Amino acid sequence: MRVSNQQGGTMDITIHGTAAEMIQNEMSLGGYKSPEDVIYEAFEALVKQKISDSIDEGLADIEAGRAMEITPDNIKSVLDKPLDAWQK
């Protein structure tokens, strides 16, 4: 399968087994013109789920007190702090 993107890049991939069967099944059910359409929608759903999970994690951090308000008074110290110092 050859996959193209808007920037003109392409990628050849071979899909075997259950994944190939799932793609064919989705196409046979209708609504998809090509395997690329199925894969695009699957990746779109994956990205949306990752964003949702990240939001949930951020909200949990806020609820657990692992967040701070950024103000004009503290922004410089926040930006100057090394990234690894912010890791959990």
Side-chain angles (χ1 to χ4, degrees):
M1 172 182 357
R2 185 171 207 82
V3 180
S4 300
N5 65 26
Q6 291 179 348
Q7 291 78 29
T10 61
M11 178 187 310
D12 292 318
I13 60 174
T14 303
I15 301 175
H16 300 281
T18 305
E21 291 173 15
M22 291 170 66
I23 291 170
Q24 287 296 331
N25 185 51
E26 287 298 319
M27 289 179 59
S28 68
L29 293 173
Y32 299 101
K33 295 179 182 177
S34 68
E36 289 89 347
D37 291 344
V38 177
I39 293 169
Y40 180 85
E41 188 168 309
F43 271 110
E44 185 176 48
L46 176 65
V47 168
K48 286 178 181 179
Q49 185 61 52
K50 285 184 175 187
I51 291 169
S52 179
D53 291 349
S54 294
I55 291 169
D56 291 345
E57 183 180 350
L59 292 173
D61 284 345
I62 291 168
E63 289 177 12
R66 295 184 299 264
M68 66 183 292
E69 183 177 355
I70 305 297
T71 67
D73 295 333
N74 70 4
I75 193 163
K76 182 162 177 24
S77 65
V78 169
L79 294 174
D80 288 343
K81 190 172 181 179
L83 183 59
D84 61 349
W86 293 102
Q87 303 300 318
K88 293 180 182 176

